[in-house]
């Protein structure tokens, strides 16, 4: 394991009907949304397994720790605490830094467009900046990494188009040097899936191929 490589932390939910991707379910139905959620998680796990540094899986409930451990025996598993996403991130960040992990990169399970080049770019920027963000095209973020503890994130406008700018501002106010390492997109709504199908069409990574096939089975084509 490369000690110079940041720790990659995956925040996730255990896919189950009624528990994951409910905005997709409202359009696609529960069964289709569940299949998409499972395929999205597989993509994030694909990135985690190939990561040369420390890996962490952080399920949203303590009762899912054994499930999380079954996903990747090499990863540390730490449950998220209660609260909004900001509180969960602060708590997890504090716990991991208390365990001696000081360079942390956080991802979710709904950003399959992230590529190895994105992770490499963030890793390189962490040598020069305190905090690195990859923005989402909807105004959120798809990756957040830092050499320093996150400032208080509780009151940020989570799940809004203002999150990315507010997060960067909060970090700068806390004295962090901040770099934006480009833009990608996450999967929140059914309309995101058509764009995803186009992006994944030529992606040779096995989990991405499986996700693309799942989208085709749902009748979601590869036109952006």
């Amino acid at each position: 394991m490369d000690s110079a490589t940041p720790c990659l932390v995956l925040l996730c939910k255990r896919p189950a009907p009624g528990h994951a991707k409910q905005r997709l379910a409202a359009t696609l139905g529960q069964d289709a949304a569940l299949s998409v959620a499972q395929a999205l998680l597989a993509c994030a796990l694909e990135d985690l397994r190939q990561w040369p540094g420390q890996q962490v899986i952080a399920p949203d409930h303590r009762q899912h720790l054994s499930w999380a451990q079954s996903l990747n025996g090499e990863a540390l598993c730490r449950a998220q605490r209660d609260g909004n996403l900001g509180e969960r991130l602060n708590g997890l960040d504090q716990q991991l830094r208390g365990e001696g992990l000081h360079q942390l990169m956080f991802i979710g399970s709904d950003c399959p467009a992230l590529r190895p080049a994105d992770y490499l770019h963030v890793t390189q920027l962490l040598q020069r900046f305190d905090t690195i963000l990859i923005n989402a095209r909807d105004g959120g973020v798809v990756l957040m990494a830092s050499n320093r503890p996150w400032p208080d994130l509780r009151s940020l406008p989570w799940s809004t188009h203002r999150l990315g700018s507010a997060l960067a501002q909060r970090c700068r106010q806390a004295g962090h040097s901040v770099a934006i390492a480009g833009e990608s997109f996450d999967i929140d709504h059914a309309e995101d899936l058509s764009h995803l199908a186009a992006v994944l069409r030529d992606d040779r990574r096995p989990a991405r191929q499986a996700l693309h096939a799942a989208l085709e089975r749902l009748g979601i084509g590869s036109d952006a």
Side-chain angles (χ1 to χ4, degrees):
M1 186 174 294
D2 186 352
S3 60
T5 302
C7 172
L8 183 60
V9 184
L10 169 62
L11 287 83
C12 61
K13 296 180 179 180
R14 183 174 185 173
H19 184 61
K21 288 296 165 196
Q22 289 308 288
R23 283 180 285 188
L24 286 182
T27 303
L28 302 179
Q30 290 288 353
D31 290 345
L34 178 59
S35 70
V36 171
Q38 291 168 331
L40 288 170
L41 178 60
C43 292
L45 290 170
E46 182 172 63
D47 293 350
L48 201 72
R49 292 190 187 101
Q50 296 174 356
W51 190 249
Q54 180 65 62
Q55 307 152 25
V56 176
I57 301 176
D60 63 337
H61 293 294
R62 183 169 296 278
Q63 61 262 38
H64 294 154
L65 280 172
S66 60
W67 164 78
Q69 194 68 64
S70 74
L71 299 174
N72 183 347
E74 300 298 316
L76 297 175
C77 293
R78 301 290 184 267
Q80 299 174 43
R81 302 178 185 178
D82 293 334
N84 68 21
L85 183 54
E87 292 170 304
R88 290 170 178 262
L89 281 165
N90 280 139
L92 185 59
D93 187 67
Q94 181 181 24
Q95 180 178 2
L96 293 174
R97 292 184 189 280
E99 296 177 13
L101 298 168
H102 300 302
Q103 196 174 55
L104 301 175
M105 185 183 300
F106 293 86
I107 60 170
S109 60
D110 58 354
C111 307
L114 287 173
R115 293 180 171 271
D118 297 315
Y119 292 108
L120 177 60
H121 187 36
V122 171
T123 299
Q124 292 171 337
L125 287 172
L126 280 171
Q127 298 174 22
R128 298 189 287 119
F129 295 90
D130 296 323
T131 295
I132 314 297
L133 306 175
I134 296 182
N135 286 334
R137 64 177 184 176
D138 64 3
V141 293
V142 299
L143 183 151
M144 44 193 292
S146 190
N147 297 307
R148 298 177 58 180
W150 296 105
D152 189 344
L153 304 177
R154 289 175 296 176
S155 62
L156 292 183
W158 297 99
S159 300
T160 76
H161 68 278
R162 298 183 290 112
L163 174 64
S165 59
L167 175 58
Q169 181 181 24
R170 178 65 53 85
C171 290
R172 292 186 178 104
Q173 289 172 340
H176 294 209
S177 57
V178 177
I180 306 301
E183 181 180 279
S184 187
F185 67 98
D186 52 13
I187 305 303
D188 291 319
H189 303 282
E191 53 265 31
D192 298 323
L193 295 176
S194 294
H195 181 56
L196 176 62
V199 169
L200 295 183
R201 182 175 50 200
D202 299 319
D203 197 316
R204 296 295 92 194
R205 290 174 290 178
R208 270 68 175 190
Q209 289 181 319
L211 173 55
H212 188 265
L215 296 178
E216 288 190 324
R217 288 194 296 271
L218 292 173
I220 298 170
S222 55
D223 293 328

